[in-house]
Amino acid sequence: MAEVELPVGGKAALSHQGLQALIEALVARGYRVLGPTVRDRAIIYDEIATIDDLPAGWTDRQDAGTYRLERRADKALFGYAVGPQSWKRFLHPPVEQLWQARREGNGFAITGPEKIASKFAFLGVRACELHAIAIQDRVFTQGPYHDTSYQQRRQDNFIVAVNCGEAGGTCFCVSMNAGPKADTGFDLALTELLDGDRHSFLVEVGSVLGGEALAALPHRPATPDESAAADAVVAHTARRMGRQLDTNGIKELLQDNPDHARWDDVAARCLTCANCTMVCPTCFCTTVEDHTDLAGQTAERVRRWDSCFTLDFSYIHGGSVRKENRSRYRQWMTHKLASWIDQFGTSGCVGCGRCITWCPVGIDITVEAAAIRASARGSREAEHGGT
Ligand code: SF4
Ligand code: SF4
């Protein structure tokens, strides 16, 4: 195959082995390559060395409170939707040391957090996840205070997106304008093309860095048929979304209904387990803990993911502000879909569906929003003499 350098927006065809060459090229450039792999009967993100580490021939079946891996009839490498983890796990880790103090003589030596040793290459980033990363970029790096740890982890990333060929049962990225096609925020974007025994990828260049990386790989110009086939893959996925969310006026809808009876209804089902916030790719709240060892030689301060579903999260001088399940669920959903817009200029939800799949009692943000909309609209119609 001839090597053809491509500009941003250019498209090329890459073979199955070309993808292996991409992984090797990223490792050679000093990246720690992270991608999807199967572990504990789920697709998780971890270090990968070859395409053999990818979840070939697996798909996921998802519904409210349900996640199952199943075998596919083909050998698709990216034939699943999203698993329980997001890239937040690497950019904003669940537990992170802020500093450590070690006893030395009559005093202490303080050391800061460890430097991030390697730069990340993320392989298999979905469109909704690109939007989630952009949201966390805004939260951590574009406000008045910058999170230096996130900035360090985020700099020099190489992102290989994958356009979705399967919509998960709980996905609603189309409603949130966040997928299923990667539109921005990637270096290269792949669409997996399977046609009988032929297995290849259409690659779109998203950055100069991506174009340079692709130029060093065996590739050829994409044919019009391959471009059309890739468009058909994402169009097919968009038509098969598992869920929908009507976002029309949703900020006003939720902010105008803090006493809606549906908050009591959902509170009766919610376990306040915080699963929904742990799996959400945009949730960013943390708490700070101090630990000392039993011998009194070292002490450390760590930052740990926290959640608006815990009682302690809203604890201030003598009590928690949000004592009831109702107020905690309302806080989470209203923040995601409404006050996040006031705070950061976008919705806090990208429609990945993880909070629905991983809720142990199957609470569904799209169903809760629709229920509030249905009765709020009914009451407005009643006020205006409607039926
Ligand atoms: S909505 Fe579901 S996942 Fe979230 S806290 Fe309640 S029970 Fe847990
Ligand atoms: S609120 Fe739910 S659907 Fe929306 S981004 Fe978070 S986990 Fe995904």
Side-chain angles (χ1 to χ4, degrees), residues 266 269-277 309 329 332 355 358-363:
V266 69
R269 290 173 279 134
C270 177
L271 309 174
T272 66
C273 66
N275 263 19
C276 47
T277 52
F309 281 94
Y329 187 86
W332 175 70
C355 58
W358 296 95
C359 174
V361 290
I363 292 173

Side-chain angles (χ1 to χ4, degrees), residues 157-372:
N157 297 161
F158 190 100
I159 295 187
V160 183
V162 171
N163 294 320
C164 292
E166 290 285 342
T170 55
C171 292
F172 57 101
C173 62
V174 168
S175 301
M176 306 312 292
N177 286 322
K181 185 178 188 316
D183 50 7
T184 185
F186 58 84
D187 296 294
L188 295 172
L190 310 177
T191 308
E192 189 164 25
L193 301 175
L194 292 143
D195 182 11
D197 290 340
R198 289 181 56 202
H199 189 177
S200 62
F201 300 90
L202 184 109
V203 193
E204 183 182 345
V205 177
S207 72
V208 172
L209 190 64
E212 285 171 8
L214 182 60
L217 305 176
H219 68 277
R220 58 170 173 74
T223 65
D225 280 355
E226 285 167 332
S227 289
D231 290 345
V233 166
V234 284
H236 174 77
T237 305
R239 286 194 301 273
R240 293 167 59 89
M241 285 285 111
R243 299 285 197 277
Q244 288 185 335
L245 177 68
D246 181 358
T247 58
N248 192 24
I250 196 153
K251 177 171 123 58
E252 294 73 21
L253 176 76
L254 295 179
Q255 290 178 338
D256 291 350
N257 284 279
D259 296 318
H260 196 284
R262 188 72 184 189
W263 300 120
D264 290 317
D265 185 291
V266 69
R269 290 173 279 134
C270 177
L271 309 174
T272 66
C273 66
N275 263 19
C276 47
T277 52
M278 298 296 108
V279 294
C280 179
T282 68
C283 278
F284 58 83
C285 290
T286 53
T287 188
V288 170
E289 294 174 352
D290 290 337
H291 305 146
T292 51
D293 71 356
L294 290 175
Q297 294 300 308
T298 60
E300 64 169 359
R301 175 162 290 179
V302 298
R303 181 166 79 171
R304 183 183 293 281
W305 286 356
D306 202 351
S307 168
C308 48
F309 281 94
T310 69
L311 196 55
D312 282 351
F313 188 71
S314 66
Y315 185 95
I316 45 171
H317 54 79
S320 291
V321 173
R322 291 187 285 271
K323 291 191 179 66
E324 300 163 345
N325 292 9
R326 170 188 199 270
S327 50
R328 281 178 261 159
Y329 187 86
R330 181 181 59 196
Q331 159 66 25
W332 175 70
M333 185 165 136
T334 307
H335 190 206
K336 280 281 143 195
L337 299 175
S339 46
W340 202 293
I341 299 169
D342 294 326
Q343 203 177 357
F344 301 114
T346 66
S347 174
C349 175
V350 296
C352 72
R354 288 183 177 92
C355 58
I356 305 169
T357 298
W358 296 95
C359 174
V361 290
I363 292 173
D364 181 336
I365 190 171
T366 66
V367 171
E368 299 310 319
I372 290 173

